[in-house]
Amino acid sequence: MPKLVHKCPGRNPREPKTSRKEGPVWQRSAIVNSTRSSKEEAEIWADPPVDSNAVAYTESGIRKLRQRARKRWESTGTRNGARRAPLADISNVVNTPGRGAPTKITPRIKKLLIAKVVESREERQKTAQQHCSEFKISHDMEISPESFTQVMYDNGYSRRGVAKKPKLTPDHRKLRVSRAKILRKIVRERPELLAFLDAASIRLHEEEEIKCWHRADEWEHPDVKTNTERSDYSCGQFFGIIAHSQRPGPSKIFVAETEEEKADAQRDLAERNIPYDKWYGFVFDVAAEAERLKYEKEGRKKPGKPASKEIYLQKKHMSRGDRSNGGVDCKSIMEKTSN
């Protein structure tokens, strides 16, 4: 089932720091030009028309607006003998730019970016870096990928995977029940333990997952909807055991083992580390040669002792209970419950 709601800035846009709204320029100009008192003006604008973009003003708000307009009018002065603009001029109520650089991405540019993204399926699948590069060529304007992403998030768009995950089959549920019985037997023997088990559909090739810019309500859009095959997914089983009286860790072994089982696990571990030795040994040789050429080009000798290849391979080896690689304990339990 698809996830209809994602937790991202596009779903939860930033809220303004204050709920105060400022009236439009025409409303502020009308208040400044009026000869009525602040109290009378506040009664008029207490309930503005719904079809207009005017906002409600209080008596103190009108008084401050007029004081600000008069202060700006008095500080304007004259230039080259020209007459000062009247107090009712619109320049006395228009907001002036604040500190810092002016806004680079205007509302018009935001509309252009969104229209470019939703133009076709190919445009939706492009990354932020690709869109910024193309926008620089077409409009001669440079926009950072971070700014582009923020514009899309503010308008409800996010670049996420659109493939629908298939549901678990009855065989997957049976396998989960069989493993749950094994864990329940362990917990009954040792009541201080707590076991948990879960299962989910996992995509086998995450790097090949198709992602595109879309909103939460665009799952069925023809440019967004993607058909997936069950062969792209597999059933992932997650389980573990923790103890109330012991500190959790990757090396904890809660199931009793015989000496023969420990020896078999060590032999299996050594066999599984053979491919890793070849690969990481090649990586170590390439890195060592690149480092040697670097110091040789600079004409100096590398300080300290040379790196040990054996120590490097030992750090890369899988160990019992290793969470990152599954570990032998996980593998043994999976084999016992699968048979």
Side-chain angles (χ1 to χ4, degrees), residues 188-216:
R188 284 180 176 178
E189 296 176 355
R190 298 185 58 182
E192 72 275 9
L193 301 182
L194 177 64
F196 56 90
L197 176 66
D198 194 10
S201 295
I202 302 177
R203 188 175 179 86
L204 299 178
H205 308 284
E206 287 294 337
E207 66 277 5
E208 298 179 1
E209 184 180 7
I210 299 176
K211 297 182 179 181
C212 70
W213 297 97
H214 64 282
R215 296 194 303 265

Coordinates of all heavy atoms in Angstrom, one line a residue, residues 188-216:
R188 N 9.6 -17.9 27.4 CA 9.1 -18.7 28.5 C 10.1 -19.3 29.4 O 9.9 -19.4 30.6 CB 8.2 -19.7 27.9 CG 6.8 -19.2 27.4 CD 6.0 -20.4 26.8 NE 4.7 -19.9 26.4 CZ 3.7 -20.7 25.9 NH1 4.0 -22.0 25.6 NH2 2.6 -20.2 25.5
E189 N 11.2 -19.7 28.8 CA 12.3 -20.2 29.6 C 13.0 -19.1 30.4 O 13.5 -19.4 31.5 CB 13.3 -20.9 28.7 CG 12.7 -22.2 28.0 CD 13.7 -22.8 27.0 OE1 14.8 -22.2 26.8 OE2 13.4 -23.8 26.4
R190 N 13.1 -17.9 29.9 CA 13.7 -16.8 30.6 C 12.8 -15.6 30.6 O 12.7 -14.8 29.6 CB 15.0 -16.4 29.9 CG 16.0 -17.6 29.9 CD 17.4 -17.1 29.3 NE 17.9 -16.0 30.1 CZ 19.1 -15.4 29.7 NH1 19.8 -15.8 28.7 NH2 19.5 -14.4 30.5
P191 N 12.0 -15.5 31.6 CA 10.9 -14.4 31.7 C 11.5 -13.0 31.6 O 10.8 -12.1 31.3 CB 10.2 -14.7 33.0 CG 10.5 -16.1 33.3 CD 11.9 -16.4 32.8
E192 N 12.8 -12.8 32.0 CA 13.3 -11.4 32.0 C 13.6 -10.9 30.6 O 14.0 -9.7 30.4 CB 14.6 -11.4 32.8 CG 15.9 -12.1 32.2 CD 15.9 -13.6 32.4 OE1 14.9 -14.1 32.9 OE2 16.9 -14.2 32.1
L193 N 13.5 -11.8 29.6 CA 13.7 -11.3 28.2 C 12.5 -10.8 27.6 O 11.4 -11.1 27.9 CB 14.3 -12.5 27.4 CG 15.6 -13.2 27.9 CD1 16.0 -14.3 26.9 CD2 16.7 -12.2 28.0
L194 N 12.7 -9.9 26.6 CA 11.6 -9.3 25.8 C 12.0 -9.5 24.3 O 13.0 -9.0 23.9 CB 11.4 -7.8 26.2 CG 10.4 -7.1 25.4 CD1 9.0 -7.7 25.7 CD2 10.4 -5.6 25.7
A195 N 11.1 -10.2 23.6 CA 11.3 -10.4 22.2 C 10.3 -9.7 21.3 O 9.2 -9.4 21.7 CB 11.2 -11.9 21.9
F196 N 10.8 -9.2 20.2 CA 9.9 -8.5 19.2 C 10.2 -9.1 17.8 O 11.3 -9.5 17.5 CB 10.2 -7.0 19.3 CG 11.6 -6.6 19.0 CD1 12.1 -6.3 17.8 CD2 12.5 -6.5 20.1 CE1 13.4 -6.0 17.5 CE2 13.8 -6.1 19.9 CZ 14.2 -5.9 18.6
L197 N 9.1 -9.0 17.0 CA 9.2 -9.6 15.6 C 8.3 -8.7 14.7 O 7.3 -8.3 15.1 CB 8.7 -11.0 15.6 CG 8.6 -11.7 14.3 CD1 10.0 -11.9 13.7 CD2 7.9 -13.1 14.4
D198 N 8.8 -8.5 13.5 CA 8.1 -7.7 12.5 C 8.4 -8.2 11.1 O 9.5 -8.8 10.9 CB 8.3 -6.2 12.7 CG 7.3 -5.4 12.0 OD1 6.3 -5.9 11.5 OD2 7.5 -4.1 11.9
A199 N 7.6 -7.8 10.2 CA 7.8 -8.2 8.8 C 7.3 -7.1 7.9 O 6.3 -6.4 8.2 CB 7.2 -9.5 8.4
A200 N 8.0 -6.9 6.7 CA 7.6 -5.8 5.8 C 8.1 -6.2 4.4 O 9.1 -6.9 4.3 CB 8.0 -4.5 6.3
S201 N 7.6 -5.6 3.4 CA 8.0 -5.7 2.1 C 9.2 -4.7 1.9 O 9.1 -3.5 2.1 CB 6.9 -5.4 1.1 OG 5.9 -6.3 1.1
I202 N 10.3 -5.3 1.4 CA 11.6 -4.5 1.2 C 11.9 -4.5 -0.3 O 11.9 -5.6 -0.9 CB 12.7 -5.1 2.1 CG1 12.3 -5.1 3.5 CG2 14.0 -4.3 1.9 CD1 13.4 -5.7 4.4
R203 N 12.3 -3.3 -0.8 CA 12.7 -3.3 -2.2 C 14.1 -3.8 -2.3 O 15.0 -3.4 -1.5 CB 12.6 -1.8 -2.7 CG 12.9 -1.7 -4.1 CD 12.6 -0.2 -4.6 NE 12.9 -0.1 -6.0 CZ 12.0 -0.3 -7.0 NH1 10.8 -0.7 -6.7 NH2 12.4 -0.2 -8.2
L204 N 14.4 -4.6 -3.2 CA 15.7 -5.2 -3.4 C 16.7 -4.3 -3.9 O 17.9 -4.4 -3.6 CB 15.6 -6.5 -4.3 CG 14.6 -7.6 -3.8 CD1 14.6 -8.7 -4.9 CD2 15.1 -8.1 -2.5
H205 N 16.3 -3.3 -4.7 CA 17.3 -2.4 -5.4 C 16.8 -1.0 -5.1 O 16.1 -0.4 -5.9 CB 17.4 -2.7 -6.9 CG 17.7 -4.1 -7.2 ND1 19.0 -4.7 -7.0 CD2 16.9 -5.1 -7.7 CE1 18.9 -6.0 -7.4 NE2 17.7 -6.2 -7.8
E206 N 17.2 -0.4 -4.0 CA 16.8 0.9 -3.6 C 17.3 1.9 -4.6 O 16.7 3.0 -4.8 CB 17.2 1.2 -2.2 CG 16.4 0.5 -1.1 CD 14.9 1.0 -1.1 OE1 14.6 2.1 -1.6 OE2 14.1 0.2 -0.7
E207 N 18.6 1.7 -5.1 CA 19.2 2.7 -6.0 C 18.4 2.8 -7.3 O 18.6 3.8 -8.0 CB 20.7 2.4 -6.2 CG 20.9 1.1 -7.0 CD 20.9 -0.2 -6.1 OE1 20.6 0.0 -4.9 OE2 21.1 -1.3 -6.6
E208 N 17.6 1.8 -7.7 CA 16.9 1.8 -8.9 C 15.5 2.3 -8.8 O 14.7 2.3 -9.7 CB 16.9 0.5 -9.6 CG 18.3 -0.1 -9.9 CD 18.3 -1.5 -10.5 OE1 17.1 -2.0 -10.7 OE2 19.3 -2.0 -10.8
E209 N 15.1 2.7 -7.6 CA 13.7 3.2 -7.3 C 13.5 4.5 -8.0 O 14.3 5.4 -8.0 CB 13.5 3.3 -5.8 CG 12.0 3.7 -5.5 CD 11.8 3.9 -4.0 OE1 12.8 3.8 -3.3 OE2 10.7 4.0 -3.6
I210 N 12.4 4.6 -8.7 CA 12.0 5.8 -9.5 C 11.4 6.8 -8.5 O 10.5 6.5 -7.8 CB 11.0 5.5 -10.6 CG1 11.6 4.5 -11.6 CG2 10.6 6.7 -11.3 CD1 10.6 4.0 -12.6
K211 N 12.0 8.0 -8.5 CA 11.5 9.1 -7.7 C 11.1 10.3 -8.6 O 11.7 10.5 -9.6 CB 12.6 9.5 -6.7 CG 13.0 8.5 -5.7 CD 14.1 9.0 -4.7 CE 14.5 7.9 -3.7 NZ 15.5 8.4 -2.8
C212 N 10.1 11.0 -8.1 CA 9.7 12.2 -8.9 C 9.1 13.2 -7.9 O 8.7 12.8 -6.8 CB 8.7 11.7 -10.0 SG 7.1 11.2 -9.4
W213 N 9.0 14.4 -8.4 CA 8.4 15.5 -7.6 C 6.8 15.3 -7.7 O 6.3 15.3 -8.8 CB 8.8 16.8 -8.2 CG 10.3 17.1 -8.0 CD1 11.2 16.9 -9.0 CD2 11.0 17.6 -6.9 NE1 12.4 17.2 -8.5 CE2 12.3 17.7 -7.2 CE3 10.6 17.9 -5.6 CZ2 13.3 18.1 -6.3 CZ3 11.5 18.4 -4.7 CH2 12.8 18.4 -5.1
H214 N 6.2 15.3 -6.6 CA 4.7 15.1 -6.6 C 4.2 15.5 -5.2 O 4.9 15.6 -4.2 CB 4.3 13.7 -6.9 CG 4.7 12.7 -5.8 ND1 6.0 12.2 -5.8 CD2 4.1 12.1 -4.8 CE1 6.1 11.4 -4.8 NE2 5.0 11.3 -4.2
R215 N 2.9 15.9 -5.2 CA 2.2 16.1 -4.0 C 1.5 14.9 -3.4 O 1.5 13.9 -4.1 CB 1.1 17.2 -4.2 CG 1.7 18.6 -4.6 CD 0.6 19.7 -4.4 NE -0.6 19.3 -5.2 CZ -0.8 19.8 -6.4 NH1 0.1 20.6 -7.0 NH2 -1.9 19.4 -7.1
A216 N 1.0 15.0 -2.2 CA 0.4 13.8 -1.6 C -0.9 13.3 -2.3 O -1.2 12.2 -2.3 CB 0.1 14.1 -0.1

